[in-house]
Amino acid sequence: MADITTNTPVQAGPNNRIQAALKSLSARFAQYRVYRETMNELQGLSNRELADLGLSRSEIRRVAYHAAYN
C-alpha cells in the first residue's frame, strides 16, 4: 500500500516578505559596494602595476564584476 504525503507551503506574512526584500536589497548593495571598491582600487593603479597583475585597463570592469557577482 502506498502512502501519499503532501506538504503545503506556509504562506509568508507581510513581515516576512518585507524582511526578505530588505535582506535581498542589503545583499545587492554589498555586492555593488565590492564592485565599486574593486573598480576604484584597480583604476588607481598605474599601467605598469596593472601589467604586473596581468591586466590591462580595458579589463578592469570585467575583473571588478567577477569579484563582486561571481
Side-chain angles (χ1 to χ4, degrees):
M1 186 157 142
D3 245 353
I4 299 176
T5 305
T6 59
N7 294 328
T8 57
V10 176
Q11 295 295 324
N15 289 339
N16 291 343
R17 287 190 297 246
I18 291 171
Q19 200 172 33
L22 288 175
K23 187 176 180 182
S24 173
L25 184 62
S26 175
R28 285 179 168 272
F29 184 71
Q31 286 177 319
Y32 178 71
R33 192 170 48 239
V34 169
Y35 173 78
R36 288 303 316 160
E37 288 174 359
T38 306
M39 285 282 292
N40 291 336
E41 290 280 333
L42 291 175
Q43 287 174 341
L45 297 176
S46 68
N47 287 338
R48 182 178 176 118
E49 290 169 324
L50 286 171
D52 287 344
L53 295 173
L55 299 173
S56 67
R57 291 231 171 254
S58 64
E59 296 176 292
I60 290 176
R61 281 188 180 174
R62 180 187 57 82
V63 170
Y65 184 87
H66 184 73
Y69 300 106
N70 288 330

